[in-house]
Amino acid sequence: MIRKHSVSLRGHRTSFSLEDDFWHEAIAIARARNMSIAALLSEIDENRDAGSNLSSAIRLHVLHHLKTTRP
């Protein structure tokens, strides 16, 4: 299921829509790195391509993480 999430990134509120599976993986990545989900999302937001939206950037980050960490 796709859900809308609202977060504060660098002092301003934004929202994005994300499938539950991607959301849960993003939370797991943040926990594994000992950081808050807001900190991870800020990092993703800062490093995304100018033409991509935050939802897509999160999905790509999760995908890259899963592809590079599995055996």
Side-chain angles (χ1 to χ4, degrees):
M1 173 173 270
I2 297 177
R3 296 184 197 273
K4 191 165 196 158
H5 301 271
S6 295
V7 294
S8 182
L9 301 177
R10 292 180 310 280
H12 86 18
R13 299 288 292 168
T14 189
S15 62
F16 57 91
S17 297
L18 201 63
E19 294 82 359
D20 289 340
D21 289 341
F22 282 103
W23 179 244
H24 296 302
E25 287 298 329
I27 292 170
I29 292 167
R31 285 184 182 149
R33 293 181 58 194
N34 294 315
M35 62 193 318
S36 69
I37 188 65
L40 177 66
L41 295 176
S42 289
E43 182 179 291
I44 292 169
D45 186 44
E46 290 171 8
N47 293 307
R48 69 183 164 118
D49 291 334
S52 72
N53 64 47
L54 183 56
S55 299
S56 295
I58 296 167
R59 288 184 192 99
L60 290 173
H61 184 84
V62 167
L63 177 62
H64 180 264
H65 176 80
L66 291 174
K67 288 175 75 172
T68 59
T69 59
R70 67 178 172 197

